[in-house]
Amino acid sequence: DQQVKQNSPSLSVQEGRISILNCDYTNSMFDYFLWYKKYPAEGPTFLISISSIKDKNEDGRFTVFLNKSAKHLSLHIVPSQPGDSAVYFCAASGVTQGAQKLVFGQGTRLTINP
Amino acid sequence: GAGVSQSPSNKVTEKGKDVELRCDPISGHTALYWYRQSLGQGLEFLIYFQGNSAPDKSGLPSDRFSAERTGGSVSTLTIQRTQQEDSAVYLCASSLGDRRSPLHFGNGTRLTVT
């Protein structure tokens, strides 16, 4: 039962262009969403989050969009830089999941090409 | 400041042996989580501690898995009679305890069961 899905295992983008990573969820009780970034041999690091009362949150080059009716969120990175090459995980939480449990997607490997 | 520390970073063990994985959370973080990532998979929730108690251990795959946390700080995850399917990267994370506080992950312990 995959409640959070990232259907693209990998994405390749040219440096300077926009990277768009997508995530779908099935549980309508999720009310808080996060994106994490992971480099090889390191733990994931928090990138950006969004509450379900918003549809957009921006932090520098990173913007997360939430479409609750479609149960879909996306992460936009613009402009993309070589250091953005990593695996990106979306995650979700909701009160019924247990107060603190984050449910993660399978991850999307982003490669930024020079 | 110091991040989440996990040891060992790598562990190779024979099937049937017991292993113990250690996690040192960020000082002052009341919440502690264990996740694991199998090859090509997302992060799978195992157990969550608030202080020394574990309100949610729903992700532990079998009774061979157990975890404890002492002094509201260090946690150990023990896997008894290891099986090859236990091979994965085991990730520990800590947070301030509020549901929306980001998780800070360690670099993980890569467990290989031969």
Side-chain angles (χ1 to χ4, degrees):
Chain A
D1 177 22
Q2 194 74 32
Q3 297 187 68
V4 178
K5 298 179 185 179
Q6 294 176 256
N7 291 318
S8 297
S10 63
L11 176 67
S12 187
V13 173
Q14 193 171 5
E15 182 179 359
R17 299 288 184 104
I18 184 171
S19 295
I20 300 176
L21 297 105
N22 294 302
C23 179
D24 296 295
Y25 61 95
T26 57
N27 191 333
S28 58
M29 299 306 292
F30 286 148
D31 64 353
Y32 193 64
F33 305 89
L34 309 91
W35 285 93
Y36 282 79
K37 173 180 177 179
K38 185 182 185 301
Y39 293 120
E42 294 184 11
T45 55
F46 169 72
L47 200 53
I48 193 169
S49 62
I50 188 166
S51 164
S52 60
I53 62 172
K54 294 185 174 182
D55 55 17
K56 176 183 174 181
N57 189 26
E58 194 171 350
D59 183 1
R61 298 185 297 114
F62 302 91
T63 303
V64 55
F65 294 93
L66 175 62
N67 182 333
K68 281 197 303 181
S69 61
K71 293 191 180 68
H72 177 83
L73 65 155
S74 60
L75 175 68
H76 292 211
I77 307 172
V78 55
S80 300
Q81 298 175 354
D84 296 330
S85 295
V87 177
Y88 290 79
F89 292 95
C90 68
S93 76
V95 175
T96 58
Q97 287 295 310
Q100 304 284 21
K101 187 165 72 178
L102 281 183
V103 180
F104 284 84
Q106 309 96 307
T108 296
R109 181 178 302 278
L110 175 65
T111 303
I112 306 300
N113 301 308
Chain B
V4 176
S5 177
Q6 291 188 247
S7 61
S9 54
N10 279 284
K11 177 72 177 178
V12 180
T13 190
E14 290 181 354
K15 177 181 170 181
K17 301 277 191 182
D18 298 352
V19 295
E20 194 172 275
L21 312 180
R22 177 187 167 105
C23 173
D24 247 298
I26 292 172
S27 178
H29 279 192
T30 58
L32 186 147
Y33 310 77
W34 284 97
Y35 281 82
R36 75 175 175 182
Q37 185 180 17
S38 302
L39 192 62
Q41 302 297 312
L43 276 69
E44 175 190 4
F45 170 82
L46 297 178
I47 188 170
Y48 150 66
F49 288 92
Q50 181 63 43
N52 291 334
S53 64
D56 190 347
K57 48 179 84 171
S58 62
L60 295 178
S62 74
D63 59 7
R64 296 186 296 104
F65 287 73
S66 62
E68 65 173 14
R69 188 180 186 195
T70 54
S73 181
V74 172
S75 176
T76 53
L77 176 69
T78 302
I79 309 173
Q80 295 179 310
R81 304 181 304 281
T82 51
Q83 304 295 311
Q84 286 188 330
E85 61 263 28
D86 300 334
S87 296
V89 176
Y90 289 81
L91 290 158
C92 175
S94 68
S95 79
L96 290 170
D98 175 81
R99 186 163 76 89
R100 301 190 172 192
S101 296
L103 272 60
H104 297 262
F105 283 87
N107 289 337
T109 293
R110 180 175 296 278
L111 175 66
T112 303
V113 182
T114 61

